[in-house]
Amino acid sequence: MIITGKYPNLRLRRNRKTEWLRRLISENNLSVNDFILPIFIIEGKNKKIPIKSMPGIYRYSIDRLKQVVDKAITLKIPMVAIFPYVNKKLKNNSGSEALNKNNLVCKATTLIKNKYKNNIGVMCDVALDPYTIHGHDGILENGNVLNDKTVDILVEQSIIQAQAGCDVIAPSDMMDGRIGSIRKALDKNNFKNVQLLSYAVKYASNFYGPFRDAVGSKNLLKSDKKTYQMDYRNSDEALREVALDIKEGADIIMIKPGLPYIDILKEVRNKFKMPTFVYQVSGEYSLLKNGIQKKILAENSIIETLISFKRSGATAIISYFAEDVCNKIKKNLL
Ligand code: PBG
């Protein structure tokens, strides 16, 4: 550490004097290149359904997807992430709808890629929770989520998504060994250039509630996901998860949730020097959004949290605020 002087010769406040100076001095800034926009999709026609637990966020039917993606492209948001609200009638114990080549996610992916080509990237979650009747990310047998059987299905799910045109396959399930198995299968099926974004560090968090509501798994989920998602008391274990996924072939690493885990984000970025994304999850979104609506928080609290991700080393941020914030960036309001 370099210490350059001492008070009264040194006054750190001098560098904070004016707005133009603070802009010059700033170490971290948000750009539209930092954002991934999550989009919830639903069966049907001409639908834009508000999600109660996530004010300002909607489920769109595929015919209205254009409206959202057009905006993302105008704002130059590099990638969207697709999440389906699956009709309960299509859910079962094994999540077989995940393997339907014509499911919502595949249809949306193909539509976006056909229409917009490489003007925007598409990322798809690999996990079974939107498709299972019990809301778990894998196959449930006698109260256990089976690892290896689930991985076999996730491999198929990944191939189907790649066939639909998905650019970035993002396993969010936390099964052991899935990155290696998926990489191998993608390569074998001529998808050598399809990327793997691993939700390598995903905690069994209390902040996913609104998302589970958004994809319709909340009321179905019995118990919790603690036998596969990480224990939030652990940080060394996060490093082991990341190391494993890099060895198995992950191109990008993700930390999730965001704010309660910026310590992990920073450590992972510093240790592994990998592209490291962070997911500002639904609970974080709703807390901030509600706080702002009730005037408990200032609108700029959103920016404050996003900058904390940049400071901690995030390469990109999945955020439900992506569109709003990118709008501000574009209008030079930040
Ligand atoms: C599914 C998945 C979850 C999220 C993204 N993918 C929920 C969960 O694991 O229960 C949460 C995202 C959010 O809360 O915004 N595996």
Side-chain angles (χ1 to χ4, degrees):
M1 202 214 266
I2 301 159
I3 299 168
T4 51
K6 87 182 199 222
Y7 172 85
N9 292 341
L10 177 67
R11 290 176 182 269
L12 289 180
R13 284 186 58 188
R14 270 200 288 263
N15 280 350
R16 301 176 197 144
K17 203 166 45 183
T18 57
E19 199 268 340
W20 59 263
L21 185 56
R22 289 192 293 273
R23 272 195 284 134
L24 273 179
I25 297 291
S26 64
E27 298 171 36
N28 296 284
N29 289 286
L30 291 170
S31 127
V32 293
N33 300 333
D34 293 321
F35 287 97
I36 297 161
L37 173 72
I39 306 176
F40 294 106
I41 52 175
I42 189 165
E43 208 64 68
K45 285 225 156 66
N46 199 22
K47 285 191 178 157
K48 181 182 176 185
I49 302 170
I51 299 163
K52 264 210 195 94
S53 54
M54 299 182 74
I57 305 294
Y58 301 84
R59 302 185 192 103
Y60 296 90
S61 55
I62 292 194
D63 56 341
R64 296 205 40 181
L65 209 50
K66 185 179 170 300
Q67 181 189 339
V68 196
V69 182
D70 275 347
K71 256 194 248 164
I73 287 183
T74 311
L75 292 169
K76 291 217 154 104
I77 293 178
M79 183 159 80
V80 293
I82 309 278
F83 296 103
Y85 177 95
V86 177
N87 190 323
K88 207 172 160 192
K89 278 186 267 173
L90 297 172
K91 299 189 186 204
N92 56 29
N93 184 48
S94 64
S96 58
E97 177 64 10
L99 304 185
N100 171 5
K101 289 184 179 180
N102 254 325
N103 69 20
L104 266 177
V105 168
C106 292
K107 274 195 281 194
T109 302
T110 304
L111 185 138
I112 297 173
K113 289 317 298 188
N114 281 344
K115 190 168 169 50
Y116 301 94
K117 312 282 187 249
N118 265 333
N119 290 322
I120 196 154
V122 173
M123 149 183 169
C124 297
D125 239 42
V126 169
L128 299 181
D129 55 314
Y131 307 100
T132 53
I133 198 71
H134 41 72
H136 278 291
D137 292 27
I139 307 286
L140 191 67
E141 217 175 84
N142 302 324
N144 287 323
V145 173
L146 301 181
N147 194 85
D148 299 3
K149 264 194 189 167
T150 299
V151 171
D152 289 343
I153 298 177
L154 298 178
V155 164
E156 276 186 66
Q157 186 184 19
S158 308
I159 299 290
I160 283 167
Q161 290 176 351
Q163 283 166 345
C166 175
D167 300 293
V168 178
I169 303 278
S172 70
D173 55 286
M174 289 300 278
M175 297 302 120
D176 285 325
R178 89 278 205 217
I179 296 298
S181 301
I182 293 172
R183 183 71 271 161
K184 212 165 123 195
L186 285 173
D187 288 0
K188 213 173 106 192
N189 285 275
N190 239 340
F191 292 117
K192 291 195 179 66
N193 287 326
V194 170
Q195 253 147 317
L196 266 180
L197 188 169
S198 172
Y199 285 72
V201 184
K202 179 171 180 180
Y203 285 92
S205 169
N206 295 291
F207 287 85
Y208 304 147
F211 175 95
R212 290 177 187 165
D213 183 28
V215 300
S217 70
K218 188 166 190 165
N219 297 327
L220 302 174
L221 183 66
K222 287 178 200 83
S223 74
D224 54 48
K225 300 189 177 182
K226 289 181 181 169
T227 67
Y228 46 107
Q229 298 180 348
M230 274 187 55
D231 185 332
Y232 55 69
R233 291 171 292 194
N234 299 345
S235 58
D236 288 346
E237 193 185 333
L239 304 179
R240 299 179 75 197
E241 284 285 2
V242 172
L244 264 175
D245 284 3
I246 294 172
K247 272 199 195 135
E248 289 181 29
D251 301 290
I252 302 167
I253 293 299
M254 184 136 74
I255 312 294
K256 176 183 173 192
L259 209 48
Y261 300 94
I262 46 170
D263 56 330
I264 310 292
L265 172 61
K266 186 159 191 175
E267 207 174 347
V268 165
R269 179 62 194 267
N270 285 344
K271 282 228 161 75
F272 294 100
K273 314 286 181 201
M274 285 278 290
T276 311
F277 292 7
V278 65
Y279 199 141
Q280 183 184 47
V281 300
S282 56
E284 298 175 74
Y285 170 84
S286 298
L287 266 180
L288 284 165
K289 189 81 181 172
N290 288 326
I292 288 161
Q293 282 176 346
K294 290 185 181 151
K295 298 199 190 314
I296 296 166
L297 294 173
E299 180 112 2
N300 271 339
S301 58
I302 299 168
I303 309 302
E304 188 178 335
T305 60
L306 295 170
I307 288 283
S308 78
F309 300 139
K310 292 290 304 255
R311 244 182 13 247
S312 303
T315 322
I317 307 162
I318 302 196
S319 171
Y320 303 97
F321 290 116
E323 196 188 314
D324 274 7
V325 173
C326 290
N327 251 316
K328 285 206 178 113
I329 294 172
K330 201 175 171 218
K331 290 182 191 150
N332 265 331
L333 290 175
L334 282 199

Short mmCIF file of all heavy atoms in Angstrom, two decimals, residues 31-64:
data_model
loop_
_atom_site.label_atom_id
_atom_site.label_comp_id
_atom_site.label_asym_id
_atom_site.label_seq_id
_atom_site.Cartn_x
_atom_site.Cartn_y
_atom_site.Cartn_z
N SER A 31 -21.94 0.35 -17.50
CA SER A 31 -22.16 0.53 -18.93
C SER A 31 -23.25 -0.46 -19.35
O SER A 31 -23.51 -1.44 -18.64
CB SER A 31 -20.85 0.28 -19.67
OG SER A 31 -21.00 -0.67 -20.69
N VAL A 32 -23.86 -0.23 -20.51
CA VAL A 32 -24.87 -1.19 -20.95
C VAL A 32 -24.23 -2.57 -21.19
O VAL A 32 -24.90 -3.59 -21.13
CB VAL A 32 -25.60 -0.72 -22.24
CG1 VAL A 32 -26.44 0.50 -21.97
CG2 VAL A 32 -24.62 -0.49 -23.37
N ASN A 33 -22.94 -2.57 -21.43
CA ASN A 33 -22.23 -3.85 -21.65
C ASN A 33 -22.18 -4.73 -20.42
O ASN A 33 -21.77 -5.89 -20.49
CB ASN A 33 -20.80 -3.60 -22.12
CG ASN A 33 -20.75 -2.82 -23.40
OD1 ASN A 33 -21.68 -2.89 -24.19
ND2 ASN A 33 -19.68 -2.08 -23.61
N ASP A 34 -22.57 -4.16 -19.28
CA ASP A 34 -22.51 -4.92 -18.03
C ASP A 34 -23.76 -5.74 -17.78
O ASP A 34 -23.81 -6.49 -16.80
CB ASP A 34 -22.36 -3.96 -16.83
CG ASP A 34 -21.02 -3.26 -16.84
OD1 ASP A 34 -20.03 -3.92 -17.17
OD2 ASP A 34 -20.98 -2.06 -16.52
N PHE A 35 -24.79 -5.59 -18.63
CA PHE A 35 -26.09 -6.12 -18.22
C PHE A 35 -26.63 -7.28 -19.05
O PHE A 35 -26.43 -7.35 -20.26
CB PHE A 35 -27.13 -5.00 -18.22
CG PHE A 35 -26.93 -4.05 -17.07
CD1 PHE A 35 -26.24 -2.87 -17.25
CD2 PHE A 35 -27.39 -4.38 -15.81
CE1 PHE A 35 -26.02 -2.01 -16.17
CE2 PHE A 35 -27.18 -3.54 -14.74
CZ PHE A 35 -26.50 -2.35 -14.91
N ILE A 36 -27.30 -8.16 -18.33
CA ILE A 36 -28.09 -9.24 -18.94
C ILE A 36 -29.51 -9.04 -18.45
O ILE A 36 -29.74 -8.89 -17.24
CB ILE A 36 -27.56 -10.61 -18.50
CG1 ILE A 36 -26.12 -10.80 -18.99
CG2 ILE A 36 -28.47 -11.74 -19.02
CD1 ILE A 36 -25.38 -11.88 -18.26
N LEU A 37 -30.45 -9.05 -19.39
CA LEU A 37 -31.85 -8.81 -19.04
C LEU A 37 -32.62 -10.12 -18.95
O LEU A 37 -32.73 -10.84 -19.94
CB LEU A 37 -32.50 -7.90 -20.10
CG LEU A 37 -34.00 -7.67 -19.97
CD1 LEU A 37 -34.31 -6.77 -18.79
CD2 LEU A 37 -34.57 -7.08 -21.25
N PRO A 38 -33.15 -10.43 -17.75
CA PRO A 38 -33.98 -11.64 -17.65
C PRO A 38 -35.38 -11.37 -18.21
O PRO A 38 -35.92 -10.29 -18.00
CB PRO A 38 -34.08 -11.88 -16.13
CG PRO A 38 -33.26 -10.81 -15.47
CD PRO A 38 -33.02 -9.74 -16.46
N ILE A 39 -35.93 -12.36 -18.92
CA ILE A 39 -37.29 -12.22 -19.45
C ILE A 39 -38.11 -13.46 -19.08
O ILE A 39 -37.68 -14.58 -19.32
CB ILE A 39 -37.30 -12.08 -20.99
CG1 ILE A 39 -36.38 -10.94 -21.44
CG2 ILE A 39 -38.72 -11.85 -21.51
CD1 ILE A 39 -36.28 -10.82 -22.97
N PHE A 40 -39.27 -13.23 -18.49
CA PHE A 40 -40.18 -14.34 -18.17
C PHE A 40 -41.16 -14.52 -19.32
O PHE A 40 -41.74 -13.54 -19.81
CB PHE A 40 -40.94 -14.06 -16.88
CG PHE A 40 -40.05 -14.01 -15.67
CD1 PHE A 40 -39.73 -12.80 -15.07
CD2 PHE A 40 -39.51 -15.18 -15.14
CE1 PHE A 40 -38.90 -12.76 -13.95
CE2 PHE A 40 -38.69 -15.16 -14.03
CZ PHE A 40 -38.37 -13.94 -13.43
N ILE A 41 -41.37 -15.77 -19.73
CA ILE A 41 -42.30 -16.03 -20.83
C ILE A 41 -43.40 -16.99 -20.39
O ILE A 41 -43.23 -17.78 -19.46
CB ILE A 41 -41.57 -16.59 -22.08
CG1 ILE A 41 -40.72 -17.81 -21.69
CG2 ILE A 41 -40.70 -15.53 -22.72
CD1 ILE A 41 -40.07 -18.49 -22.88
N ILE A 42 -44.52 -16.88 -21.09
CA ILE A 42 -45.70 -17.68 -20.73
C ILE A 42 -46.44 -18.08 -22.00
O ILE A 42 -46.36 -17.39 -23.03
CB ILE A 42 -46.62 -16.88 -19.76
CG1 ILE A 42 -47.73 -17.76 -19.19
CG2 ILE A 42 -47.21 -15.62 -20.42
CD1 ILE A 42 -48.42 -17.15 -17.98
N GLU A 43 -47.14 -19.22 -21.93
CA GLU A 43 -47.95 -19.70 -23.05
C GLU A 43 -49.08 -18.71 -23.33
O GLU A 43 -49.48 -17.96 -22.44
CB GLU A 43 -48.55 -21.06 -22.63
CG GLU A 43 -48.84 -22.04 -23.75
CD GLU A 43 -47.60 -22.51 -24.49
OE1 GLU A 43 -46.77 -23.22 -23.89
OE2 GLU A 43 -47.48 -22.15 -25.68
N GLY A 44 -49.60 -18.72 -24.55
CA GLY A 44 -50.78 -17.92 -24.86
C GLY A 44 -50.51 -16.83 -25.87
O GLY A 44 -49.42 -16.76 -26.44
N LYS A 45 -51.52 -16.00 -26.07
CA LYS A 45 -51.42 -14.94 -27.09
C LYS A 45 -51.64 -13.57 -26.46
O LYS A 45 -52.50 -13.40 -25.61
CB LYS A 45 -52.49 -15.17 -28.18
CG LYS A 45 -52.15 -16.31 -29.11
CD LYS A 45 -52.40 -15.92 -30.59
CE LYS A 45 -51.56 -16.76 -31.53
NZ LYS A 45 -51.93 -18.18 -31.53
N ASN A 46 -50.86 -12.62 -26.92
CA ASN A 46 -51.01 -11.22 -26.54
C ASN A 46 -51.08 -11.02 -25.02
O ASN A 46 -51.92 -10.30 -24.52
CB ASN A 46 -52.26 -10.64 -27.20
CG ASN A 46 -52.21 -9.12 -27.20
OD1 ASN A 46 -51.13 -8.53 -27.10
ND2 ASN A 46 -53.37 -8.48 -27.29
N LYS A 47 -50.18 -11.71 -24.31
CA LYS A 47 -50.20 -11.60 -22.85
C LYS A 47 -49.01 -10.80 -22.32
O LYS A 47 -47.88 -10.97 -22.79
CB LYS A 47 -50.16 -13.00 -22.23
CG LYS A 47 -51.47 -13.74 -22.32
CD LYS A 47 -51.45 -14.98 -21.47
CE LYS A 47 -52.79 -15.68 -21.52
NZ LYS A 47 -52.65 -17.10 -21.17
N LYS A 48 -49.33 -9.94 -21.35
CA LYS A 48 -48.29 -9.25 -20.59
C LYS A 48 -48.81 -9.22 -19.16
O LYS A 48 -49.60 -8.35 -18.80
CB LYS A 48 -48.07 -7.83 -21.13
CG LYS A 48 -46.99 -7.07 -20.41
CD LYS A 48 -46.83 -5.64 -20.94
CE LYS A 48 -45.80 -4.88 -20.12
NZ LYS A 48 -45.67 -3.47 -20.51
N ILE A 49 -48.43 -10.22 -18.39
CA ILE A 49 -49.03 -10.42 -17.08
C ILE A 49 -48.10 -9.94 -15.97
O ILE A 49 -46.97 -10.41 -15.85
CB ILE A 49 -49.34 -11.93 -16.86
CG1 ILE A 49 -50.26 -12.41 -17.99
CG2 ILE A 49 -49.96 -12.18 -15.50
CD1 ILE A 49 -50.44 -13.91 -18.03
N PRO A 50 -48.57 -8.97 -15.17
CA PRO A 50 -47.72 -8.47 -14.08
C PRO A 50 -47.43 -9.57 -13.06
O PRO A 50 -48.30 -10.41 -12.79
CB PRO A 50 -48.57 -7.37 -13.44
CG PRO A 50 -49.82 -7.25 -14.21
CD PRO A 50 -49.91 -8.38 -15.18
N ILE A 51 -46.24 -9.58 -12.54
CA ILE A 51 -45.88 -10.54 -11.49
C ILE A 51 -46.00 -9.81 -10.15
O ILE A 51 -45.28 -8.84 -9.90
CB ILE A 51 -44.44 -11.06 -11.71
CG1 ILE A 51 -44.35 -11.79 -13.05
CG2 ILE A 51 -44.02 -11.99 -10.56
CD1 ILE A 51 -42.95 -12.00 -13.57
N LYS A 52 -46.94 -10.28 -9.34
CA LYS A 52 -47.29 -9.55 -8.11
C LYS A 52 -46.08 -9.29 -7.21
O LYS A 52 -45.91 -8.19 -6.70
CB LYS A 52 -48.34 -10.35 -7.32
CG LYS A 52 -49.76 -9.90 -7.59
CD LYS A 52 -50.65 -10.14 -6.35
CE LYS A 52 -52.10 -10.03 -6.74
NZ LYS A 52 -52.70 -11.34 -7.09
N SER A 53 -45.25 -10.30 -7.03
CA SER A 53 -44.15 -10.15 -6.08
C SER A 53 -42.95 -9.40 -6.68
O SER A 53 -41.97 -9.15 -5.99
CB SER A 53 -43.71 -11.52 -5.58
OG SER A 53 -43.42 -12.34 -6.69
N MET A 54 -43.04 -9.06 -7.98
CA MET A 54 -41.95 -8.30 -8.61
C MET A 54 -42.54 -7.11 -9.37
O MET A 54 -42.70 -7.15 -10.59
CB MET A 54 -41.17 -9.19 -9.58
CG MET A 54 -40.52 -10.38 -8.92
SD MET A 54 -39.55 -11.38 -10.09
CE MET A 54 -38.13 -10.32 -10.34
N PRO A 55 -42.83 -6.02 -8.64
CA PRO A 55 -43.48 -4.87 -9.28
C PRO A 55 -42.68 -4.39 -10.50
O PRO A 55 -41.47 -4.23 -10.41
CB PRO A 55 -43.47 -3.79 -8.18
CG PRO A 55 -43.10 -4.48 -6.92
CD PRO A 55 -42.50 -5.80 -7.23
N GLY A 56 -43.39 -4.19 -11.61
CA GLY A 56 -42.71 -3.68 -12.82
C GLY A 56 -42.18 -4.78 -13.73
O GLY A 56 -41.65 -4.49 -14.80
N ILE A 57 -42.30 -6.04 -13.31
CA ILE A 57 -41.81 -7.16 -14.12
C ILE A 57 -43.01 -7.98 -14.59
O ILE A 57 -43.97 -8.17 -13.85
CB ILE A 57 -40.82 -8.04 -13.33
CG1 ILE A 57 -39.67 -7.20 -12.77
CG2 ILE A 57 -40.27 -9.18 -14.19
CD1 ILE A 57 -38.75 -6.58 -13.79
N TYR A 58 -42.94 -8.45 -15.84
CA TYR A 58 -44.08 -9.13 -16.46
C TYR A 58 -43.70 -10.47 -17.05
O TYR A 58 -42.53 -10.73 -17.31
CB TYR A 58 -44.63 -8.25 -17.60
CG TYR A 58 -45.07 -6.89 -17.13
CD1 TYR A 58 -44.13 -5.85 -17.01
CD2 TYR A 58 -46.38 -6.64 -16.78
CE1 TYR A 58 -44.52 -4.60 -16.55
CE2 TYR A 58 -46.78 -5.39 -16.34
CZ TYR A 58 -45.84 -4.37 -16.21
OH TYR A 58 -46.22 -3.13 -15.76
N ARG A 59 -44.74 -11.31 -17.24
CA ARG A 59 -44.57 -12.51 -18.07
C ARG A 59 -45.14 -12.19 -19.43
O ARG A 59 -46.28 -11.74 -19.54
CB ARG A 59 -45.33 -13.69 -17.48
CG ARG A 59 -44.95 -14.07 -16.08
CD ARG A 59 -45.70 -15.34 -15.66
NE ARG A 59 -45.59 -15.58 -14.24
CZ ARG A 59 -46.56 -15.34 -13.36
NH1 ARG A 59 -47.73 -14.87 -13.76
NH2 ARG A 59 -46.37 -15.58 -12.08
N TYR A 60 -44.37 -12.47 -20.48
CA TYR A 60 -44.80 -12.16 -21.84
C TYR A 60 -45.10 -13.42 -22.62
O TYR A 60 -44.37 -14.42 -22.52
CB TYR A 60 -43.70 -11.40 -22.59
CG TYR A 60 -43.38 -10.05 -22.01
CD1 TYR A 60 -42.39 -9.92 -21.02
CD2 TYR A 60 -44.05 -8.91 -22.43
CE1 TYR A 60 -42.08 -8.67 -20.48
CE2 TYR A 60 -43.75 -7.66 -21.90
CZ TYR A 60 -42.77 -7.56 -20.91
OH TYR A 60 -42.47 -6.33 -20.38
N SER A 61 -46.18 -13.38 -23.42
CA SER A 61 -46.37 -14.49 -24.36
C SER A 61 -45.39 -14.27 -25.52
O SER A 61 -44.91 -13.15 -25.75
CB SER A 61 -47.81 -14.54 -24.86
OG SER A 61 -48.20 -13.31 -25.41
N ILE A 62 -45.12 -15.37 -26.23
CA ILE A 62 -44.04 -15.32 -27.23
C ILE A 62 -44.31 -14.27 -28.31
O ILE A 62 -43.38 -13.62 -28.79
CB ILE A 62 -43.82 -16.73 -27.80
CG1 ILE A 62 -43.23 -17.58 -26.67
CG2 ILE A 62 -42.92 -16.72 -29.02
CD1 ILE A 62 -42.64 -18.88 -27.06
N ASP A 63 -45.60 -14.09 -28.65
CA ASP A 63 -45.89 -13.09 -29.69
C ASP A 63 -45.59 -11.66 -29.23
O ASP A 63 -45.52 -10.75 -30.05
CB ASP A 63 -47.36 -13.22 -30.17
CG ASP A 63 -48.35 -13.10 -29.03
OD1 ASP A 63 -47.95 -13.28 -27.86
OD2 ASP A 63 -49.53 -12.83 -29.29
N ARG A 64 -45.40 -11.46 -27.92
CA ARG A 64 -45.06 -10.11 -27.45
C ARG A 64 -43.59 -9.95 -27.07
O ARG A 64 -43.16 -8.88 -26.62
CB ARG A 64 -45.95 -9.72 -26.26
CG ARG A 64 -47.39 -9.66 -26.70
CD ARG A 64 -48.30 -8.80 -25.94
NE ARG A 64 -47.88 -7.51 -25.44
CZ ARG A 64 -48.71 -6.75 -24.74
NH1 ARG A 64 -49.92 -7.17 -24.47
NH2 ARG A 64 -48.31 -5.58 -24.30
#
